[in-house]
Amino acid sequence: MSRFVFYLALLGGLAYGGLYFYYGVAVKQRVTQELDALGFTALQVERVEHGPLAPLSMDAKVSTTVTYRGAEASVDVRVIGHPVFSDEFRLELDSLRALRLTLGSGGER
């Protein structure tokens, strides 16, 4: 019986790990699509950070890092709906957390 519970917990952990990873990928793709639709094709989404319970909720706050040449910005985005399980999925810009500018040529000699 304990072996069954162990394997059930292991299977649940693997399923949740896959959902957690795919949630980040789906949000990154959607943010990229939204930026392209707005005409910001030069912006690149570097990473998406979300909490451990974000894949289980229909309303989550996600932090994205976008770059444009020498500028990098961290933006909080509110995800309404679920990018994996729902057809109704909306992103709302919440706030700008950080803006970093890099001055110079950017290369080493």
Side-chain angles (χ1 to χ4, degrees):
M1 181 65 175
S2 65
R3 181 180 264 178
F4 173 73
V5 172
F6 174 74
Y7 285 130
L8 188 62
L10 182 65
L11 182 64
L14 286 174
Y16 182 73
L19 177 64
Y20 184 84
F21 174 75
Y22 188 68
Y23 183 86
V25 170
V27 169
K28 183 176 180 178
Q29 288 175 348
R30 185 61 186 254
V31 168
T32 303
Q33 289 173 358
E34 292 290 327
L35 289 173
D36 289 346
L38 291 172
F40 296 113
T41 56
L43 288 175
Q44 295 179 354
V45 179
E46 293 296 320
R47 69 182 153 270
V48 174
E49 299 170 2
H50 52 85
L53 297 179
L56 299 178
S57 68
M58 297 296 283
D59 188 4
K61 290 194 176 186
V62 174
S63 177
T64 60
T65 303
V66 294
T67 59
Y68 174 73
R69 295 187 184 180
E72 182 176 300
S74 295
V75 180
D76 288 336
V77 176
R78 184 174 171 205
V79 178
I80 299 171
H82 202 282
V84 180
F85 300 121
S86 175
D87 290 335
E88 296 180 14
F89 176 65
R90 191 171 77 227
L91 297 173
E92 293 180 355
L93 180 65
D94 197 21
S95 64
L96 176 67
R97 259 194 329 165
L99 178 63
R100 290 172 291 282
L101 298 173
T102 304
L103 302 175
S105 63
E108 294 184 25
R109 294 181 192 234

